[in-house]
Amino acid sequence: MTYCVGLKLEAGLVLLSDTRTNAGLDNISCYRKMFFFENPGERIITIMTAGSLSVTQTTIARLEEAIEDEMADEKTSILKAPTMLRAATIIGDTLSRTRRDIAEQCRDLRQQASASMIVAGQRRGGDMRMFLIYPEGNFIEATDDTPFLQIGEHKYGKPILDRVVTPQTSLADAQKAVLLSMDSTLRSNLSVGMPLDLAVIGRGACAVSARRRIQDGDPDFAQMSAAWSAALRESFVKVTL
């Protein structure tokens, strides 16, 4: 399982993913789930993944292969796509094709292979956009009414985002919101785990503005988690029936 969350705000994008991958209770591994495709100053595309590791890794590998192809053009390479919408379409088509290919290989084993992705970024002169791509390749887009998207084990971290995140939220507060959203998920589901990958992309920067890996035992994250728990307990006591 996994948990990834992305916020699309007036000030930019804030993205967070965990790195835990489970193949049973006694087979837990750590794999990166946040990937960057970047021509600094020209475009930045970030992909976060959830689901079957074979599907997500193969999809990312195929996208990278298409970028490196000498015949790459705006219909095949996300770094040549004229819009973020076109880039999302390329990624969705690649994900759908990969899922079908792997499902066909596993048909006799009666195993399901599925994955979803969050795609976010901006090209120079274009709008900053963020999409949730489903296993079938279709997608939805973050809007002012719903400025965040989640994949994986999202239910535990959603309430705080619903309550505090708006398009006007600052990048600093947005980082705090996604980290507390992740903290709630870590406490409630063992299939989501450290370390965490955090990235910030300022509007118009067309490059990663800040990037950080948060390891297990990180003092800043631990302090934030403890402060949030204390604040919740204090608020709970103050509420009257």
Side-chain angles (χ1 to χ4, degrees), residues 47-64 66 76 78 87-104 113-119 131-140 151:
I47 301 176
M48 295 189 291
T49 65
S52 167
L53 194 61
S54 62
V55 174
T56 59
Q57 286 189 335
T58 303
T59 300
I60 295 297
R62 286 178 171 179
L63 291 170
E64 292 173 339
T76 61
I78 60 175
T89 300
I90 293 172
I91 295 168
D93 290 345
T94 305
L95 174 60
S96 177
R97 184 175 71 253
T98 301
R99 181 187 63 83
R100 292 196 304 269
D101 290 346
I102 293 177
E104 179 63 23
S114 185
S116 56
M117 296 180 168
I118 291 176
V119 176
F131 305 90
L132 191 162
I133 301 183
Y134 295 105
E136 296 77 15
N138 57 319
F139 48 81
I140 62 173
I151 53 176

Side-chain angles (χ1 to χ4, degrees), residues 1-2 5 14-15 37 44 82 84 88 90 104 106 118 124 129 141 147 153 163 170 174 183 185 215 219 223:
M1 205 55 178
T2 189
V5 55
V14 175
L15 310 163
F37 300 84
I44 173 67
M84 278 300 300
I90 293 172
E104 179 63 23
C106 299
I118 291 176
R124 183 165 53 87
R129 303 178 76 171
E141 184 172 3
E153 189 57 81
R163 289 178 180 271
S170 69
D183 179 64
T185 305
Q215 300 287 351
Q223 182 179 10

Side-chain angles (χ1 to χ4, degrees), residues 3-8 14-16 48 117-120 129-134 139-143 146-152 154 158 161 165 178 181:
Y3 177 47
C4 301
V5 55
L7 275 57
K8 182 174 108 35
V14 175
L15 310 163
L16 180 68
M48 295 189 291
M117 296 180 168
I118 291 176
V119 176
R129 303 178 76 171
M130 182 167 66
F131 305 90
L132 191 162
I133 301 183
Y134 295 105
F139 48 81
I140 62 173
E141 184 172 3
T143 66
T146 307
F148 64 88
L149 296 173
Q150 302 167 283
I151 53 176
H154 63 272
K158 188 173 185 292
L161 302 178
V165 174
V178 296
S181 175

Side-chain angles (χ1 to χ4, degrees), residues 71-83 86-87 90:
M71 303 298 291
D73 59 25
E74 64 180 27
K75 295 182 179 180
T76 61
S77 169
I78 60 175
L79 289 186
K80 293 182 179 292
T83 64
R86 178 59 198 166
I90 293 172

Side-chain angles (χ1 to χ4, degrees), residues 138-209:
N138 57 319
F139 48 81
I140 62 173
E141 184 172 3
T143 66
D144 287 345
D145 292 326
T146 307
F148 64 88
L149 296 173
Q150 302 167 283
I151 53 176
E153 189 57 81
H154 63 272
K155 58 182 175 291
Y156 303 107
K158 188 173 185 292
I160 184 173
L161 302 178
D162 284 331
R163 289 178 180 271
V164 306
V165 174
T166 70
Q168 293 76 38
T169 300
S170 69
L171 293 179
D173 283 347
Q175 291 177 72
K176 182 166 56 177
V178 296
L179 287 169
L180 290 176
S181 175
M182 180 66 74
D183 179 64
S184 298
T185 305
L186 291 170
R187 285 175 173 269
S188 300
N189 194 308
L190 293 176
S191 68
V192 179
M194 307 285 278
L196 311 175
D197 287 321
L198 175 68
V200 178
I201 301 170
R203 181 179 291 273
C206 293
V208 178
S209 305

